[in-house]
Amino acid sequence: MKLWIKTFSKIAARLLSTGVYILYIGRRQKQLSRRATYQASLDSATIGKDSTKFQIISETTKVSLLAEVYGIEGNIFRLKINEETPLKPRYEVLDVLTSKPSTVRLISCSGDADSLVLTDGKGDLKCNITANPFKIDLVSQEEVVMSINSLGQLYFEHLQIPLKQRAAKENKEDTSVDASQEDQEDLGLWEEKFGKFVDVKVNGPASVGLDFSLHGFEHLYGIPQHAESHQLKNTSDGDAYRLYNLDVYGYKIHDKMGIYGSVPYLLAHKLSRTVGIFWLNASETLVEINTEPAVKYTLTQMGPVAAKQKVRCRTDVHWMSESGIIDVFLLTGPTPSDVFKQYSYLTGTQAMPPLFSLGYHQCRWNYEDEQDIKEVDAGFDEHDIPYDVMWLDIEHTEGKRYFTWDKKRFPNPKRMQELLRSKNRKLVVISDPHIKIDPNYSVYVKAKEQGFFVRNHEGGDFEGVCWPGLSSYLDFTNPKVREWYSGLFTFSAYQGSTDILYIWNDMNEPSVFRGPELTMQKNAIHHGNWEHRELHNIYGFYQQMATAEGLIQRSKGKERPFVLTRSFFAGSQKYGAVWTGDNTAEWSYLKISIPMLLTLSITGISFCGADVGGFIGNPEAELLVRWYQAGAYQPFFRGHATMNTKRREPWLFGEEYTRLIREAIRQRYTLLPYWYSLFYRAHVAAQPVMRPLWIEFPEELDAFGVEDEYMLGSALLVHPVTEPKASTVDVFLPGSNEVWYDCKTFARWEGARTVKIPVALDTIPSFQRGGSIVPIKTTVGKSTGYMTDSPYGLRVALSTKDSAMGEFYLDDGHSFRYLHQKQFLHRKFSFLSDVLINSCADERGHYPSKCVVEQIFVLGLKKQPSSVTTRSSDGKDEPVAFTYCAQMSTLRLEKLSLNISADWEVHVR
């Protein structure tokens, strides 16, 4: 089911013109939920060790549901609602949660037949359950934070015996259809047609829905993936946000229709609190959002606690899913950092990437042959442009048969990889989920013999058209298929591969060229006899999981994988990186990439990026330069283009543009120590790498809607230039007590203001936050591997209190030894009372390094020092030559030799 939106006729016309199912769940839920009121049977509630259970009964149908409320470690509540006695089991999402969440026993504070109050006995949070009509309020410090079903939009369609079977069973002589059944058929419940496709729902419609009211909140974020603003928009007079993974070539911007991935998780933020809602459902989902200003509503049926809150605004969120159960996690914060930790506790943190993957990636559909690869690789060296990874698209294979090589174009793939290895570079190749139907293709033959393909509803292998032509699709929801697929990446199975080869999963929504909406029919059958409709949005998640595991197994568990996926779901961050798909070489796509990446970042997926230059079309030189400048300051940094575009390697636009692109890429490599440290923080503490301003400045209302600039970690603010022929940009510098330093000129700015910054084509507006210390590399090599032993520098930006803090993380950059053998180095830097200190941040780690800090810049030092000395751990002082610029209040220390892994101090007197 595809579309459930208020402005149905307008949207339906648009969808018909674009070849999309016309579906009716939203309309149906709106019509029928008005007739259905649910009442909770609280007098028979059972409070157990793990959960509190009670019945919810529909006053219309008298059919009961089973509700379970869980308290989960870390201020999380979970609500599950399912049929009490379903005709057959309903689908529940597996493998997204990292483990079974540790529950906290909920205690009944008070309760009777009309209400029940639960608390975990530890904090101030209470869960108030009202019986008639059924409603739940989450209360903190006597204030209602969130209400569930306060609008009465709980909707749960029960599985049914097919009408004809039921009629024949109940009365063989009377096969008439009652009026309600006719209404159901009119609304497209049992059978839907789309062109030649007929979607038959054997047990009828099975959609679920529920509303949530967020009190005092009007800023909501999340639920990727859409080419839309970072802050979620009010949908009351337009489209709902759709979560349905689709292959959309050149997707429209400012559109709420789903594209490649789905994360059914949103965050709400206000000055005093941040909360999250994680709706664990992998079927097609719509999300409606309606924000009511304070003057337009009053709370009803909320009791005296809520009555005093009627002056606040309220945002209502209505989730509707095609099938499955209601399984929702309420993340109660209260801070943004708390919500990130709560979500990561459930779904995992960002995988720690290998260092090379944070460098620049060069891709194209397609590099023609081994000679082409050799020439492009040499071109980077000739023009002194660093890069780390060369990519090969589908044309490198033999007739689009994955795990093979085209014998004419790539006759000696190992030799090609050895050339890259000699320069410490890597190769990424593509592997899609469709398998060419070919009795001479061993991957196809083995998968078919073992029954590893998705089946059609008649029981045979599902067949669809994709790049190779007629193909079958591996059923990655089956653990045995994932295990087998992982084994395909061994060196013995994948002939021509080496340990510098990594993987790109594309077309895994899954894309089916002649299918409805270019995807798989919803009644296709997966492992466990689950229909595709139940789990569509998680299909690509499973392929990336199997691929990552295959690369780990290939190294016998020693090496970190790198896997890029186009399709994703909640928890995909555990397995690698994501990008924004088939964008277009236009300024508007450069601009929309920022909010798209911010939304991915706050929903757990820190390793994300957009194709530099735009995948589709031919960017003008100015646009290409600006895109490289933006991409250099975004987590995943890859240039990519489709096959019918002009070649656009960085040196093909003239000497001046080559210089500008070189500078942008080299700035990326200069900041690699900071990038790597940020990814470590994302990995261990779930803090996003790329952050909207409201995360770092949660009490600054003016920051809540900013989406044309962002923070990298807590130290750097970046405002990419996204308009042609720009001569100035307006940069908002947040924080009334903050000070900011231009990263290029070191000019100092006070916070809590918008400043007009002049920009030339070589300008990347970026600012270091006062109070931060940023580690850098002082020299740049051909690739990250060339920079292992190169020296470091520190950029110390003093706050208004003349102090600064920072951290630095280092390990071998490729293995799991940081995790299993604690072979890592974690240092902290502090500048206080004119002393810069390097000390250990984590005593568990041990990773000695020969690298030295050779350069230190201190920004914002108001007085010229009389002397500067270094002090080693043995207490020995050494004088240091320095340069001080009074005009810029900048101190420069150069030609130092301070070991990065040792304790030392720098005294500025």
Side-chain angles (χ1 to χ4, degrees):
M1 302 201 172
K2 295 283 193 282
L3 193 63
W4 326 318
I5 311 175
K6 287 184 177 178
T7 55
F8 179 78
S9 59
K10 179 186 76 172
I11 303 303
R14 192 184 86 188
L15 296 183
L16 279 171
S17 69
T18 56
V20 182
Y21 272 132
I22 302 305
L23 298 167
Y24 308 92
I25 292 182
R27 185 178 71 163
R28 184 168 75 252
Q29 289 206 13
K30 285 177 175 59
Q31 289 181 0
L32 301 183
S33 65
R34 297 190 190 103
R35 311 176 197 168
T37 302
Y38 285 89
Q39 179 175 341
S41 299
L42 298 180
D43 51 350
S44 59
T46 59
I47 302 177
K49 179 181 178 183
D50 291 327
S51 67
T52 297
K53 300 181 181 180
F54 53 90
Q55 286 182 322
I56 305 175
I57 301 173
S58 167
E59 294 185 2
T60 303
T61 65
K62 305 303 179 184
V63 178
S64 64
L65 301 171
L66 176 64
E68 299 175 86
V69 178
Y70 299 78
I72 296 176
E73 228 174 59
N75 291 331
I76 303 170
F77 285 92
R78 182 182 194 179
L79 172 65
K80 294 182 73 173
I81 301 176
N82 198 353
E83 295 188 57
E84 190 166 35
T85 55
L87 187 66
K88 62 182 182 180
R90 296 179 70 113
Y91 185 77
E92 298 186 39
V93 175
L94 302 176
D95 302 310
V96 166
L97 301 182
T98 55
S99 61
K100 183 179 179 181
S102 297
T103 56
V104 177
R105 184 175 186 130
L106 297 177
I107 304 166
S108 174
C109 298
S110 62
D112 51 34
D114 297 322
S115 65
L116 177 64
V117 179
L118 301 173
T119 178
D120 62 8
K122 295 180 180 180
D124 69 321
L125 288 167
K126 293 180 181 178
C127 181
N128 295 356
I129 305 172
T130 303
N132 191 15
F134 166 64
K135 179 172 59 69
I136 297 177
D137 294 324
L138 281 186
V139 179
S140 173
Q141 296 179 345
E142 300 304 309
E143 181 180 276
V144 177
V145 176
M146 184 189 308
S147 299
I148 302 172
N149 202 42
S150 62
L151 303 182
Q153 292 178 325
L154 170 60
Y155 191 84
F156 209 106
E157 292 180 317
H158 297 260
L159 300 178
Q160 303 173 63
I161 298 173
L163 173 67
K164 292 180 180 179
Q165 277 185 252
R166 186 166 66 247
K169 182 178 180 181
E170 293 176 354
N171 187 348
K172 293 183 179 180
E173 296 179 358
D174 182 7
T175 58
S176 62
V177 179
D178 62 28
S180 63
Q181 180 62 42
E182 288 176 354
D183 288 344
Q184 289 184 4
E185 289 179 338
D186 179 60
L187 291 172
L189 301 191
W190 290 79
E191 180 175 297
E192 293 175 272
K193 295 180 180 179
F194 176 71
K196 65 179 182 179
F197 300 102
V198 179
D199 179 21
V200 177
K201 288 168 276 295
V202 176
N203 297 111
S207 74
V208 297
L210 189 60
D211 64 90
F212 301 79
S213 294
L214 299 159
H215 301 291
F217 294 90
E218 54 184 331
H219 294 88
L220 274 65
Y221 314 91
I223 55 172
Q225 186 180 40
H226 306 93
E228 254 293 8
S229 59
H230 177 53
Q231 182 179 337
L232 298 174
K233 295 178 178 177
N234 195 318
T235 66
S236 58
D237 59 352
D239 298 12
Y241 284 92
R242 185 189 191 199
L243 296 174
Y244 192 62
N245 297 357
L246 291 173
D247 175 1
V248 187
Y249 182 80
Y251 48 82
K252 293 180 181 179
I253 62 173
H254 301 297
D255 195 295
K256 299 181 183 66
M257 300 302 288
I259 47 178
Y260 308 99
S262 298
V263 181
Y265 164 48
L266 63 75
L267 299 88
H269 178 69
K270 59 182 178 179
L271 290 174
S272 57
R273 194 177 198 107
T274 309
V275 298
I277 301 174
F278 175 33
W279 178 268
L280 185 54
N281 190 299
S283 69
E284 182 179 2
T285 297
L286 289 185
V287 185
E288 291 185 328
I289 296 169
N290 183 37
T291 299
E292 295 287 355
V295 296
K296 288 192 177 181
Y297 86 101
T298 58
L299 300 179
T300 58
Q301 304 173 345
M302 301 290 254
V305 171
K308 62 186 179 184
Q309 301 176 50
K310 61 186 179 183
V311 296
R312 300 185 299 161
C313 63
R314 183 192 77 213
T315 297
D316 300 319
V317 181
H318 185 194
W319 297 81
M320 295 172 281
S321 291
E322 180 178 358
S323 58
I325 69 168
I326 292 173
D327 188 1
V328 60
F329 295 83
L330 310 174
L331 316 180
T332 64
T335 69
S337 179
D338 291 329
V339 172
F340 298 143
K341 290 176 183 175
Q342 289 158 358
Y343 180 70
S344 72
Y345 173 73
L346 299 172
T347 67
T349 62
Q350 177 66 57
M352 187 65 191
L355 179 60
F356 78 80
S357 64
L358 301 185
Y360 174 64
H361 301 245
Q362 182 65 32
C363 187
R364 175 174 187 83
W365 179 23
N366 202 89
Y367 284 117
E368 296 297 325
D369 50 31
E370 290 179 12
Q371 183 61 29
D372 197 6
I373 291 289
K374 185 177 180 180
E375 290 174 0
V376 172
D377 175 74
F380 278 91
D381 296 337
E382 180 184 343
H383 294 91
D384 195 26
I385 301 173
Y387 93 101
D388 263 80
V389 191
M390 184 65 69
W391 289 56
L392 288 176
D393 211 316
I394 54 177
E395 310 302 333
H396 83 278
T397 63
E398 183 182 357
K400 316 299 189 300
R401 298 169 179 85
Y402 305 107
F403 303 98
T404 69
W405 303 86
D406 185 302
K407 294 181 177 61
K408 292 183 179 179
R409 294 181 173 192
F410 298 93
N412 197 334
K414 285 189 175 181
R415 180 180 61 193
M416 176 180 64
Q417 290 168 74
E418 290 309 313
L419 169 68
L420 296 174
R421 185 197 302 276
S422 70
K423 301 176 183 180
N424 292 306
R425 290 170 178 153
K426 317 296 180 186
L427 178 70
V428 168
V429 300
I430 200 166
S431 182
D432 294 347
H434 50 262
I435 302 298
K436 182 178 178 65
I437 296 176
D438 177 358
N440 297 314
Y441 176 26
S442 63
V443 173
Y444 170 76
V445 171
K446 292 175 182 176
K448 185 171 181 62
E449 285 175 352
Q450 299 176 81
F452 282 171
F453 292 122
V454 178
R455 292 173 288 130
N456 60 40
H457 67 280
E458 296 171 345
D461 289 344
F462 175 86
E463 296 181 357
V465 174
C466 208
W467 297 124
L470 198 60
S471 305
S472 289
Y473 289 71
L474 291 170
D475 184 4
F476 290 104
T477 68
N478 185 341
K480 291 184 178 179
V481 174
R482 296 198 298 272
E483 181 181 2
W484 172 80
Y485 186 77
S486 295
L488 297 180
F489 294 98
T490 61
F491 301 125
S492 58
Y494 192 175
Q495 294 291 311
S497 68
T498 73
D499 61 355
I500 68 159
L501 180 146
Y502 296 87
I503 300 297
W504 167 21
N505 293 150
D506 198 8
M507 313 298 288
N508 53 346
E509 293 73 28
S511 179
V512 182
F513 287 165
R514 297 175 188 172
E517 291 195 89
L518 300 183
T519 194
M520 189 173 285
Q521 289 143 265
K522 289 192 169 186
N523 57 4
I525 305 298
H526 290 265
H527 173 67
N529 282 325
W530 295 112
E531 286 191 313
H532 185 70
R533 78 181 76 251
E534 307 278 0
L535 49 82
H536 171 86
N537 285 344
I538 206 171
Y539 180 84
F541 166 96
Y542 277 125
Q543 187 194 14
Q544 190 187 25
M545 174 197 288
T547 303
E549 183 58 33
L551 295 183
I552 293 171
Q553 290 178 9
R554 181 184 74 175
S555 69
K556 296 180 169 53
K558 296 177 181 179
E559 299 295 312
R560 290 175 237 168
F562 170 75
V563 184
L564 179 74
T565 183
R566 191 170 73 178
S567 181
F568 56 88
F569 191 68
S572 288
Q573 66 271 10
K574 296 188 291 288
Y575 305 113
V578 162
W579 93 107
T580 61
D582 297 345
N583 58 0
T584 299
E586 298 173 7
W587 287 93
S588 57
Y589 282 82
L590 167 59
K591 191 170 187 176
I592 201 68
S593 70
I594 298 172
M596 290 179 74
L597 297 179
L598 289 174
T599 297
L600 284 168
S601 296
I602 66 164
T603 51
I605 303 175
S606 270
F607 204 1
C608 57
D611 284 342
V612 169
F615 178 67
I616 303 164
N618 298 299
E620 59 193 86
E622 182 192 4
L623 173 58
L624 187 63
V625 167
R626 291 301 191 197
W627 217 318
Y628 268 102
Q629 291 171 344
Y633 286 89
Q634 292 168 353
F636 176 59
F637 186 24
R638 180 182 74 158
H640 189 28
T642 190
M643 67 189 316
N644 58 357
T645 59
K646 298 176 182 177
R647 294 291 285 256
R648 61 167 88 143
E649 284 73 35
W651 51 87
L652 296 179
F653 291 79
E655 186 175 335
E656 178 62 14
Y657 294 111
T658 299
R659 179 185 67 82
L660 293 168
I661 294 172
R662 179 193 301 115
E663 287 180 0
I665 296 176
R666 288 176 69 86
Q667 285 188 44
R668 169 60 166 237
Y669 279 77
T670 296
L671 278 172
L672 277 174
Y674 184 63
W675 279 107
Y676 201 56
S677 300
L678 289 181
F679 269 95
Y680 179 70
R681 181 56 52 192
H683 179 55
V684 300
Q687 300 307 300
V689 171
M690 183 177 175
R691 306 174 186 175
L693 297 189
W694 64 265
I695 291 177
E696 285 298 313
F697 302 93
E699 301 296 324
E700 186 145 353
L701 189 60
D702 289 343
F704 292 5
V706 175
E707 62 175 37
D708 56 356
E709 61 188 52
Y710 51 90
M711 299 292 295
L712 289 180
S714 61
L716 296 181
L717 183 150
V718 184
H719 187 116
V721 179
T722 58
E723 299 290 343
K725 298 179 174 57
S727 59
T728 62
V729 293
D730 292 331
V731 178
F732 174 62
L733 298 175
S736 58
N737 296 316
E738 300 285 345
V739 61
W740 299 86
Y741 301 88
D742 187 301
C743 290
K744 185 176 183 179
T745 67
F746 301 151
R748 183 179 185 274
W749 300 89
E750 300 291 335
R753 67 191 63 199
T754 298
V755 296
K756 192 173 289 292
I757 303 295
V759 294
L761 196 51
D762 66 348
T763 307
I764 309 174
S766 56
F767 302 82
Q768 186 170 344
R769 185 180 183 179
S772 67
I773 301 176
V774 173
I776 64 170
K777 283 285 189 177
T778 57
T779 59
V780 171
K782 292 181 178 180
S783 64
T784 56
Y786 275 91
M787 298 167 61
T788 302
D789 297 324
S790 63
Y792 292 93
L794 298 179
R795 297 288 184 268
V796 181
L798 299 184
S799 69
T800 55
K801 298 180 180 180
D802 296 326
S803 62
M805 299 284 291
E807 67 176 346
F808 169 77
Y809 176 81
L810 180 67
D811 59 27
D812 64 18
H814 60 87
S815 78
F816 286 108
R817 285 192 286 270
Y818 79 94
L819 182 65
H820 302 311
Q821 285 86 37
K822 303 302 178 186
Q823 292 185 14
F824 66 86
L825 180 69
H826 191 192
R827 309 294 295 180
K828 60 182 177 182
F829 306 114
S830 63
F831 189 97
L832 188 63
S833 301
D834 294 327
V835 180
L836 174 64
I837 301 173
N838 176 14
S839 59
C840 182
D842 190 340
E843 297 286 353
R844 298 174 303 167
H846 182 69
Y847 187 74
S849 172
K850 296 179 181 179
C851 289
V852 299
V853 174
E854 71 167 10
Q855 179 190 88
I856 298 173
F857 288 4
V858 182
L859 313 181
L861 192 67
K862 298 169 185 174
K863 294 172 60 177
Q864 178 169 344
S866 58
S867 67
V868 178
T869 58
T870 61
R871 179 175 296 170
S872 59
S873 57
D874 60 8
K876 185 179 180 181
D877 289 355
E878 294 285 347
V880 176
F882 64 90
T883 303
Y884 180 77
C885 176
Q887 181 180 1
M888 301 305 296
S889 301
T890 302
L891 174 69
R892 294 173 179 256
L893 310 178
E894 299 181 283
K895 298 183 180 179
L896 302 170
S897 186
L898 302 169
N899 187 280
I900 191 71
S901 60
D903 292 350
W904 43 258
E905 299 175 357
V906 176
H907 292 255
V908 180
R909 298 181 175 89

